[in-house]
Amino acid sequence: MDCSLAARLLKGVRAATLSGQRPQILPRPVIGESWNRMLRSGVDPDRDVRSDLLSMEEVEERRQSSVLMEVLPVLREALVTVADAAQHIMVVSDAEGRVLWREGNAAVLHKADRLGFELGADWAEETVGTNGVGTPLVTRRPVQVFSAEHFVGSLHTWTCTGAPITDPRDGQLIGVVDVSGPLETMHPATLSLVGTVAQLAEARLRERHAAALDRLRAVAAPVLARIGGRAVAVDVQGWTAAVTGMQPVDRIALPKSLSELSELSDGRAWVPTLGMCAVAPLPGGWLLRPDGPDGAAEPLGGTRVVLDVSRPRRWSVTVTDGTRSWTHQLSPRHAELLYLLALHRGGRSASGLAEDMFGDPTRTVTVRAEMSRVRRYLGSLLGHRPYRFHEEAELEVVLPQSPADLLPHSVAPGVLRSRSAPPH
């Protein structure tokens, strides 16, 4: 591949796009969509991105509090030597796009400094434009950005390839691993490499989670053996370690109020799907003892459900019933499913949801599995046959200002139709 020729062609494509003309060659869809987001949000294509650095104290504080610390050895072992030999650097950012680690070729690190690709720098897409850190944070998939595919002109000498890392314990995005360097060092295989390493990091987190659940199970087992009635031991994300007297489930949605209970004494809290529970701390989790009978229905009259899909990277569902309120952060897939159900208050069959999600009405097994997971935290607020929000619940959907910014990671046909619809 002639990198210089490709860079010149891309500059022409970018120039035509910024001037409002239709280029003879269209940018790749992931790049074109990012450019459109930048144009709507008013990012300056000629700005200098070298500003707003975190102090080293702030960087270190973020490092120590980040789950990324648990997978940094995996990232280093897989990428740093390769990046150094290929005149690249490895960069790791948090979920806000802040650069927390940089390692690799010394000469390339100096070039990165001149571009503002420094420790503590903000490389979110809304700050720096299309790039290999910020754009994967929005799209939730690996992205390679070459030369003039960067929205900001000062980055056209650069190529970067980033992949998001998600914590499998709660589905939350925790950061991006990126391999970057001068444009002439670009290699298409880097995209596959970085994506695979991100998956290895997530696998390591799953292994550590399984080990942590085993430790919690060993602590909880003798406690549960002495308890009469229903009880369940869960970790801080709600994953079940041990259960007695009730139907086991993989995970229980926990309200934020649990973290406010004293760790030195028993407390009480309302837990979705379980009702009021006596709550006691365990090393690495909680012991929950429900008051009511197994399978007690949640109150529905006067219940308000707020589905917030207004932001590009974080989505949530909040349920309020009287004085009780709890919020659950949504994975990308669950945000899509709940949004699609909100469009169809009368309900949607499994095949209809499969058509909306995948463009394939036969993929009902996947839909049923995901909806089963959603019902573990929404309980009777979601009906089935067809799938729907309960008719007695008040539903509000908080949308982005522009339909084009709706769930930007999504390629679900039902979401794409909404994203291309004119604003009301």
Side-chain angles (χ1 to χ4, degrees):
M1 175 182 179
D2 187 333
C3 290
S4 297
L5 175 59
R8 288 196 297 273
L9 289 173
L10 285 170
K11 285 185 178 182
V13 172
R14 174 179 172 274
T17 302
L18 294 183
S19 64
Q21 301 174 6
R22 181 178 176 84
Q24 292 183 343
I25 302 174
L26 294 177
R28 294 184 293 130
V30 67
I31 300 300
E33 291 167 3
S34 176
W35 286 357
N36 287 335
R37 288 194 295 272
M38 300 306 95
L39 291 169
R40 289 194 301 273
S41 62
V43 172
D44 183 355
D46 300 314
R47 65 159 296 178
D48 187 331
V49 301
R50 294 172 295 177
S51 62
D52 193 28
L53 290 179
L54 297 177
S55 68
M56 283 310 302
E57 290 78 10
E58 292 171 308
V59 169
E60 188 59 32
E61 183 178 341
R62 290 196 181 211
R63 285 174 173 175
Q64 295 302 322
S65 63
S66 174
V67 179
L68 291 166
M69 285 286 287
E70 300 180 34
V71 297
L72 194 60
V74 174
L75 303 179
R76 283 175 169 152
E77 182 179 351
L79 290 177
V80 171
T81 301
V82 174
D84 191 3
Q87 298 185 63
H88 279 73
I89 58 174
M90 181 193 77
V91 176
V92 182
S93 85
D94 64 14
E96 295 180 358
R98 289 287 184 172
V99 176
L100 299 186
W101 290 276
R102 297 187 324 163
E103 300 179 29
N105 186 278
V108 179
L109 285 170
H110 289 306
K111 292 181 180 179
D113 288 340
R114 293 195 293 271
L115 294 173
F117 209 14
E118 307 169 72
L119 285 176
D122 180 0
W123 275 64
E125 199 184 55
E126 59 266 27
T127 303
V128 182
T130 309
N131 72 90
V133 171
T135 301
L137 286 174
V138 173
T139 63
R140 294 292 186 110
R141 57 185 184 271
V143 178
Q144 188 167 56
V145 183
F146 171 72
S147 185
E149 289 183 325
H150 289 91
F151 187 77
V152 174
S154 62
L155 305 179
H156 289 181
T157 60
W158 204 246
T159 181
C160 52
T161 305
I165 302 175
T166 300
D167 189 338
R169 294 169 289 195
D170 58 11
Q172 295 304 301
L173 185 65
I174 56 176
V176 163
V177 58
D178 169 272
V179 169
S180 291
L183 70 87
E184 59 270 13
T185 64
M186 192 278 291
H187 195 288
T190 308
L191 184 64
S192 177
L193 172 64
V194 175
T196 299
V197 172
Q199 291 174 354
L200 287 174
E202 292 173 353
R204 175 62 59 85
L205 289 175
R206 278 190 289 271
E207 293 171 2
R208 294 176 69 94
H209 183 222
L213 278 179
D214 285 341
R215 291 191 296 271
L216 176 58
R217 189 172 297 116
V219 171
V223 176
L224 293 180
R226 297 192 299 269
I227 290 177
R230 302 165 60 215
V232 57
V234 297
D235 70 5
V236 294
Q237 285 91 20
W239 290 96
T240 300
V243 64
T244 185
M246 55 190 290
Q247 186 70 27
V249 295
D250 291 337
R251 191 180 183 194
I252 294 172
L254 300 179
K256 291 181 178 179
S257 58
L258 277 193
S259 61
E260 300 169 1
L261 294 177
S262 169
E263 295 188 1
L264 302 177
S265 61
D266 288 359
R268 297 182 62 76
W270 185 79
V271 178
T273 74
L274 294 182
M276 289 301 300
C277 295
V279 182
L282 293 172
W286 300 95
L287 176 65
L288 309 178
R289 302 180 64 184
D291 289 351
D294 193 6
E298 299 174 51
L300 291 172
T303 299
R304 186 165 183 264
V305 180
V306 178
L307 175 63
D308 188 344
V309 291
S310 63
R311 293 166 291 182
R313 297 195 297 272
R314 292 185 181 275
W315 318 280
S316 65
V317 59
T318 299
V319 178
T320 303
D321 174 53
T323 61
R324 300 181 304 224
S325 180
W326 58 272
T327 298
H328 183 77
Q329 299 297 320
L330 298 172
S331 69
R333 177 62 56 82
H334 288 185
E336 292 170 319
L337 279 170
L338 291 179
Y339 171 73
L340 292 170
L341 285 181
L343 293 180
H344 301 278
R345 284 306 304 269
R348 202 79 169 122
S349 67
S351 61
L353 270 180
E355 177 72 32
D356 291 341
M357 282 291 298
F358 309 110
D360 180 358
T362 67
R363 292 188 61 178
T364 55
V365 172
T366 303
V367 165
R368 290 192 178 101
E370 291 296 340
M371 289 304 300
S372 176
R373 296 184 181 101
V374 173
R375 295 188 80 230
R376 287 171 189 164
Y377 53 85
L378 284 182
S380 57
L381 288 170
L382 275 187
H384 62 291
R385 297 182 183 176
Y387 293 112
R388 66 199 183 280
F389 282 99
H390 199 284
E391 58 271 11
E392 292 185 26
E394 177 189 352
L395 176 64
E396 177 186 354
V397 181
V398 183
L399 297 169
Q401 289 187 341
S402 170
D405 292 326
L406 173 68
L407 300 173
H409 69 279
S410 179
V411 293
V415 175
L416 294 179
R417 287 192 292 271
S418 294
R419 199 185 292 157
S420 61
H424 296 295

